Amino acid sequence: MSSQPKTPFGLYIHWPYCVSKCPYCDFNSHVAKSVDHDQWAQAFINELTRIHQESAEQTISSIFFGGGTPSLMAPQTVESILQTAQKLWGFSPDIEITLEANPTTVETDTFANFKSAGINRLSIGIQSLRAKALTFLGRAHSLEEGFRALELAQKTFDRYSFDLIYARPDQTLQDWQDELTEALNLSAGHLSLYQLTIEPGTAFYKEGVPSVDEDLGADLFDLTQEMMEKAHMPAYEISNHAKSAQESRHNLIYWQGDDYIGIGPGAHSRLSNQAIHQIYQPDLWLNAIAEKKSGEQKRKSIPTEERIIELIMMGLRLKEGIDCAHFKSLTHQGLKDCLEPEGLEILIENGLVCWTETHLRASPEGRKCLNGVIEKLILV
Ligand code: SF4
């Protein structure tokens, strides 16, 4: 029987395969000639059953299928995972269950099958509404496939979001303004808007693709905030924008420091102040579950000081900031006592952070230079 959880508790499932590797991507994603879907389904179920033993008192409030491209999973695999998770932990009545999808994997029935399997929210990797940019980003889908995926999502799901990458080389403010205006017309109340970053190890990095000029990047960010505020979809986190009540509840679990479990290659969990990492390589993860009955690579207890820094770093990404009462319940310490007093004073004087009655919050200006803000706040 389902019951309302005391605090949010999330489940993340990592599907590590994609149809091709995008040149900017540094996620744990791989291209495989063939995948044994039955073996993967069984491995996920075995891992869920194993890790349930140390979190049996929880009730799941959100599930996120990420990757890779989890819309390449067999819908039956998704269904078996959800049935197993519900049987083991139980679901809260308003559970959010999100699947990341790429437009190339959409056939007429695909979304309907995932909905029947239990998915109630879709996050679609559209990335751009310009054909030239899709080619530059090495995306496997065409513009038409992107539009079709959005149309099908709208017909099938009450809640869906899509991602766009901006601050691409050669993109002007006017280009982005036009593209974002179109995106807003297609949106269902949630958009994830990321600036292109060139990460070490990616094909773009090796090819020397330049990052956008710093000043233009800042102007593009400001334009984004302005347009999204006007559209009543402000940033509730640095790159995530939503209408009221359309926020991704799953991501809020990470940023607010609540517990979650991660299953699948490279996934990690936070359980009762422990950081648990799963084996990174897909084949090794599968073999370990078959042979050792566990996909876990390592775990460690998180020292209180480390936990405090993590909560400050994650919490200040959020528009609402860090809830002092929640912080205390997680660390048994007052937030103010954990901050560097002089740094805090300077940041308040400069309008970069502020206290409300219940929260410590970074201002919009403060969120733009968050690393510097955090450095000043943290007691070392
Ligand atoms: S589809 Fe997503 S996860 Fe897969 S390679 Fe491209 S960016 Fe990475």
Side-chain angles (χ1 to χ4, degrees), residues 135-253:
T135 306
F136 164 72
L137 292 169
R139 298 294 298 178
H141 69 273
S142 66
L143 200 53
E144 292 68 32
E145 285 170 318
F147 286 130
R148 183 172 149 66
L150 287 171
E151 197 187 311
L152 278 173
Q154 194 180 22
K155 282 187 188 151
T156 316
F157 292 96
D158 292 336
R159 296 179 71 203
Y160 69 89
S161 171
F162 60 95
D163 297 3
L164 292 177
I165 296 175
Y166 70 105
R168 306 182 299 255
D170 302 330
Q171 190 178 32
T172 65
L173 280 168
Q174 188 62 53
D175 291 340
W176 176 231
Q177 186 171 2
D178 295 345
E179 192 174 349
L180 187 52
T181 303
E182 284 175 38
L184 281 166
N185 289 332
L186 296 165
S187 155
H190 189 289
L191 281 178
S192 298
L193 305 171
Y194 301 103
Q195 291 212 353
L196 178 65
T197 53
I198 310 297
E199 302 295 340
T202 61
F204 273 177
Y205 185 85
K206 288 174 197 151
E207 289 161 18
V209 171
S211 295
V212 82
D213 166 80
E214 211 174 294
D215 289 341
L216 178 57
D219 290 346
L220 285 162
F221 183 81
D222 288 343
L223 172 67
T224 306
Q225 308 316 307
E226 195 186 304
M227 288 180 69
M228 298 308 287
E229 290 272 350
K230 257 193 214 151
H232 306 290
M233 290 175 67
Y236 66 97
E237 188 270 347
I238 290 175
S239 307
N240 286 280
H241 302 256
K243 289 201 167 131
S244 174
Q246 289 301 317
E247 296 88 356
S248 158
R249 278 176 247 150
H250 190 81
N251 285 342
L252 286 172
I253 287 178

Side-chain angles (χ1 to χ4, degrees), residues 18 20-22 24-25 27 29 68-69 102 139:
C18 291
S20 56
K21 183 79 180 174
C22 303
Y24 58 88
C25 176
F27 299 143
S29 65
T69 304
N102 274 329
R139 298 294 298 178

Side-chain angles (χ1 to χ4, degrees), residues 71-80 109-110 113-114 117:
S71 50
L72 290 172
M73 291 171 89
Q76 301 91 298
T77 304
V78 170
E79 191 169 11
S80 322
D109 296 336
T110 317
N113 290 344
F114 281 122

Side-chain angles (χ1 to χ4, degrees), residues 286-300:
L286 265 188
N287 288 344
I289 290 172
E291 287 163 18
K292 297 184 198 151
K293 313 284 174 236
S294 168
E296 188 172 315
Q297 174 148 55
K298 58 179 180 181
R299 67 168 64 202
K300 71 162 193 170

